[in-house]
Amino acid sequence: MTLGRRQMVVGSAMAVGALGAVAACGSAEAPSAAPQTPSEPAENTELAKTADVPVGSALVVDGIVLTQEQPGRIRGFSTVCPHAGCAVSKVTGAEVICPCHGSSFGLDGAVLTGPAHGPLTPVDVVVRGDSVVRG
């Protein structure tokens, strides 16, 4: 059977359209907990109010983990997990948890459970009045 010119053009157009639809479906990236490089806020940028950082726990904000082990002692750490570079994002009580491989860190940034072998990197923060700022 021989195809005419019109049938060839229509068939080709349909094939290209189908390939485009398949490519569009395949190009959407699923959300993941892949390594991230959070942008760090500039110095003197307010990160949170001191009242927002729970005593005996932590708050994750703008790529920084703010911890308050004791009342009035607020410390900052990078959210970048030293294991694989994922962003720690979950806080459960006095533990900061990385969603990628389950490493957990204490309020002092130290590793509680691996696979991470090193602590979270300290970030300079300062309490000014009732605000915690990047310092």
Side-chain angles (χ1 to χ4, degrees):
M1 173 178 172
T2 329
L3 296 176
R5 183 168 186 235
R6 174 171 273 199
Q7 291 170 318
M8 290 292 289
V9 170
V10 170
S12 296
M14 288 175 64
V16 169
L19 286 174
V22 169
C25 289
S27 67
E29 292 184 23
S32 70
Q36 301 174 11
T37 305
S39 60
E40 292 188 3
E43 277 191 38
N44 297 316
T45 300
E46 182 180 79
L47 299 169
K49 297 292 184 189
T50 54
D52 295 336
V53 183
V55 176
S57 193
L59 173 71
V60 179
V61 60
D62 292 337
I64 296 177
V65 178
L66 298 174
T67 68
Q68 188 170 191
E69 290 179 85
Q70 302 166 356
R73 184 164 187 241
I74 296 177
R75 296 168 66 179
F77 299 94
S78 170
T79 57
V80 178
C81 179
H83 171 248
C86 296
V88 298
S89 58
K90 184 177 179 186
V91 177
T92 302
E95 289 187 38
V96 179
I97 302 166
C98 179
C100 290
H101 303 104
S103 293
S104 66
F105 304 87
L107 299 180
D108 61 355
V111 177
L112 298 176
T113 58
H117 293 289
L120 294 173
T121 303
V123 172
D124 290 331
V125 296
V126 178
V127 174
R128 289 207 179 112
D130 66 346
S131 297
V132 181
V133 298
R134 169 103 177 158

